Amino acid sequence: MDNYRFSADFPRVFRFIVMMFFAVFPRLLLSPLLLRISSDLGISYDQASSFFLTSAVGFSLGLITSGFIACRLTHHYTIFSGALMTGISLFLLSTVNSFPLFHLFMGLLSYSNGLCHGSGFASVTRIVPDRFRTRALSFHEMGPNAAFILAPIFSALMAPVLGWRVVLCITGIAAFGAALFFLLSDKGPN
């Protein structure tokens, strides 16, 4: 164990950084796109702000059930399923024209985002030895932090030119790519 080098396991940890990014980034797009979404759907800002409650409830349910799902699928496939459902949810959200359907798909998106968190932590802590877990988890948390910085920038640059629907669609394509990248990569610990 004295010869262990964290740099050798960093590529495995990097996969989880990417997945954590996509577990947070799509939900962070809601805030900067909310005015455009409410105008397009023909709803008031008060009604549109209820999407945040749906997002919080969906995410909480995803966190609560992720352990039960991982028990059946393994952590690797739970994270993959969450990323795949994120991509599907974003595509569905980009086509919605009704208030109730937007709530439904926002809940599905948030639920799928919640699936990744518990399995991500469990997997990262199993990849590296105990004395390097703090370092691995610190790197793991770069994904959400990057999402907090990049989501408003991405939205501000893309939404005025392409519209909120295309922003969600592009993010969905990226989530599919991340899910495929994760599925094809080393499965790591179960």
Side-chain angles (χ1 to χ4, degrees):
M1 201 46 90
D2 290 334
N3 295 333
Y4 177 80
R5 298 183 73 76
F6 177 73
S7 58
D9 280 329
F10 183 76
R12 295 176 73 195
V13 173
F14 180 75
R15 299 176 307 129
F16 296 99
I17 295 170
V18 171
M19 298 318 292
M20 285 302 295
F21 177 84
F22 282 104
V24 174
F25 185 82
R27 288 185 307 117
L28 294 176
L29 290 175
L30 179 61
S31 182
L33 296 176
L34 192 63
L35 298 178
R36 295 175 191 279
I37 293 168
S38 64
S39 296
D40 196 30
L41 296 180
I43 57 175
S44 70
Y45 298 144
D46 293 337
Q47 289 175 307
S49 66
S50 67
F51 295 142
F52 291 108
L53 177 62
T54 301
S55 176
V57 169
F59 184 73
S60 298
L61 290 173
L63 286 173
I64 291 167
T65 61
S66 66
F68 299 106
I69 293 171
C71 184
R72 306 275 188 275
L73 297 180
T74 73
H75 291 302
H76 184 80
Y77 288 109
T78 301
I79 295 169
F80 167 72
S81 300
L84 188 65
M85 285 174 48
T86 295
I88 292 168
S89 301
L90 286 164
F91 281 124
L92 293 171
L93 277 170
S94 72
T95 63
V96 166
N97 287 316
S98 76
F99 180 66
L101 279 178
F102 199 94
H103 268 291
L104 176 70
F105 297 140
M106 190 68 207
L108 180 64
L109 170 69
S110 300
Y111 177 81
S112 62
N113 294 157
L115 293 178
C116 296
H117 286 268
S119 290
F121 279 111
S123 297
V124 167
T125 58
R126 298 284 296 166
I127 289 173
V128 298
D130 289 349
R131 64 187 178 125
F132 290 96
R133 282 188 182 160
T134 304
R135 185 179 302 174
L137 289 173
S138 296
F139 278 106
H140 178 260
E141 289 304 300
M142 286 173 49
N145 290 323
F148 272 98
I149 294 167
L150 294 176
I153 294 170
F154 180 69
S155 175
L157 293 175
M158 302 301 275
V161 178
L162 302 173
W164 69 270
R165 293 179 187 276
V166 176
V167 168
L168 294 182
C169 195
I170 290 170
T171 307
I173 292 168
F176 275 127
L180 187 62
F181 163 72
F182 189 79
L183 179 67
L184 299 176
S185 63
D186 174 23
K187 289 187 174 50
N190 285 331

